[in-house]
């Protein structure tokens, strides 16, 4: 128990500024979750949850007596939101992974000579169809539909206005920026769970607002991580777009192969 208390109260002093160790650790968990999410691995969700729990106590500075002594209700509230959405994402990705594994197993039985196997490396970034749908890749990226994009836009605008008014009434520091970070994070996390490639772009929009807000509030590790995220999520976006292209190419190749293999049977049927 004393070790836990020591960890929760431990501070670092950098440039004369006190920084909570748990803020640093929580953000490291967040970065790890983002990396695992880019790799489309189920572990992205539980790792992220661990970081959310730590950061919840950091952003309620007035309650937990952090060095900043500021309450960012949007930042704290989004950690709770992350917990809820992450449970859904964890379940959804697990189900998708199991379904993909079942399909791969069925394909292996259908092609015992190995012709049904792709060239993927099992990490979700392979070159073949089976590699893209390997048991380790828990979701297949896709673009959101027009209706889904309009829904996200409506939630982004309406949600930010409503949350800003609520945070303002609660006395949150920087309520409008805090509101967009909360709503944008909700949309990005939900999009990740659904496998929408656009979720990376939403994270970039969150980072654009989050970096200056956190720097001004004195949350330097979180601000620095947001700044790094801006580069990282761009990489993630490019990676998911590449996977989509590989999947389309593999599907087209599979369709062509299927047509070739079924043609002789069709000809024979016609001859009869």
């Amino acid at each position: 128990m004393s070790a836990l208390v020591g960890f929760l109260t431990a501070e670092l002093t950098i440039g004369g500024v006190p920084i909570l160790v748990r803020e640093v650790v929580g953000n490291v968990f967040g970065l790890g979750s983002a990396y695992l999410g880019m790799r489309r691995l189920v572990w992205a969700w539980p790792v992220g949850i661990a970081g959310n729990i730590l950061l919840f106590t950091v952003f309620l500075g007035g309650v937990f007596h952090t060095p900043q002594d500021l309450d960012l209700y949007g930042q704290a509230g989004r950690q709770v939101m992350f917990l809820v959405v992450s449970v859904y994402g964890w379940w959804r990705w697990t189900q998708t992974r199991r379904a993909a594994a079942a399909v791969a197993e069925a394909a292996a039985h259908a092609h015992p000579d190995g012709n049904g196997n792709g060239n993927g490396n099992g990490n979700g970034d392979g070159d073949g169809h089976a590699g893209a749908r390997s048991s380790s890749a828990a979701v297949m990226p896709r673009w959101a539909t027009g209706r889904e994009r309009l829904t996200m836009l409506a939630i982004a605008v309406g949600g930010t206005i409503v949350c800003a008014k609520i945070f303002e009434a609660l006395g949150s520091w920087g309520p409008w920026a805090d509101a967009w970070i909360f709503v944008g994070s909700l949309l990005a996390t939900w999009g990740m769970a659904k496998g929408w490639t656009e979720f990376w772009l939403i994270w970039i929009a969150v980072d654009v607002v989050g970096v200056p807000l956190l720097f001004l509030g004195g949350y330097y590790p979180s601000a620095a991580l947001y700044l790094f995220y801006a580069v990282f999520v761009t990489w993630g976006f490019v990676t998911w777009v590449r996977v989509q292209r590989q999947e389309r190419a593999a599907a087209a190749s599979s369709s062509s192969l299927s047509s070739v293999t079924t043609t002789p049977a069709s000809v024979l049927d016609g001859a009869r």
Side-chain angles (χ1 to χ4, degrees):
M1 186 65 178
S2 59
L4 177 61
V5 173
F7 168 71
L8 293 176
T9 57
E11 294 183 5
L12 299 172
T13 301
I14 301 177
V17 178
I19 296 172
L20 285 170
V21 170
R22 69 177 186 270
E23 182 183 358
V24 177
V25 175
N27 280 300
V28 169
F29 274 108
L31 180 59
S33 176
Y35 175 76
L36 293 170
M38 185 189 69
R39 304 291 292 179
R40 297 175 294 137
L41 300 176
V42 175
W43 272 102
W45 300 105
V47 169
I49 287 173
N52 300 148
I53 294 172
L54 289 173
L55 292 176
F56 174 78
T57 67
V58 170
F59 291 119
L60 284 184
V63 176
F64 292 95
H65 306 293
T66 65
Q68 295 83 5
D69 199 31
L70 295 173
D71 288 324
L72 274 70
Y73 290 109
Q75 290 282 351
R78 79 177 191 140
Q79 306 307 320
V80 177
M81 174 272 294
F82 281 149
L83 284 171
V84 176
V85 179
S86 292
V87 170
Y88 167 76
W90 193 351
W91 171 82
R92 182 179 177 88
W93 280 31
T94 300
Q95 295 298 108
T96 303
R97 178 180 176 180
R98 288 174 180 170
V103 170
E105 184 177 356
H109 286 303
H111 302 278
D113 58 351
N115 291 333
N117 294 328
N119 296 321
N121 60 14
N123 290 324
D125 57 354
D127 298 326
H129 184 63
R133 291 190 179 275
S134 68
S135 59
S136 63
V139 68
M140 283 308 304
R142 69 173 178 87
W143 295 111
T145 64
R147 177 176 294 182
E148 289 166 343
R149 289 177 180 177
L150 287 175
T151 300
M152 285 192 288
L153 179 60
I155 293 174
V157 175
T160 299
I161 294 173
V162 171
C163 288
K165 294 299 183 181
I166 294 174
F167 295 158
E168 198 170 37
L170 291 173
S172 180
W173 189 77
W176 283 92
D178 212 15
W180 162 242
I181 292 172
F182 176 83
V183 175
S185 298
L186 170 62
L187 289 173
T189 307
W190 183 257
M192 176 179 169
K194 302 289 284 186
W196 298 336
T197 303
E198 288 91 342
F199 92 87
W200 294 105
L201 300 178
I202 299 174
W203 274 131
I204 293 175
V206 169
D207 293 338
V208 168
V209 176
V211 171
L213 176 71
L214 293 173
F215 264 122
L216 290 173
Y219 294 94
Y220 301 115
S222 296
L225 185 66
Y226 269 52
L227 192 59
F228 178 75
Y229 270 155
V231 178
F232 184 86
V233 297
T234 302
W235 177 28
F237 174 71
V238 172
T239 298
W240 275 40
V241 170
R242 185 184 301 122
V243 169
Q244 283 183 268
R245 290 174 179 171
Q246 291 172 348
E247 177 68 11
R248 284 198 301 268
S253 176
S254 177
S255 177
S256 298
L257 180 61
S258 177
S259 298
V260 170
T261 56
T262 57
T263 298
S266 300
V267 172
L268 289 175
D269 288 340
R272 291 172 187 167

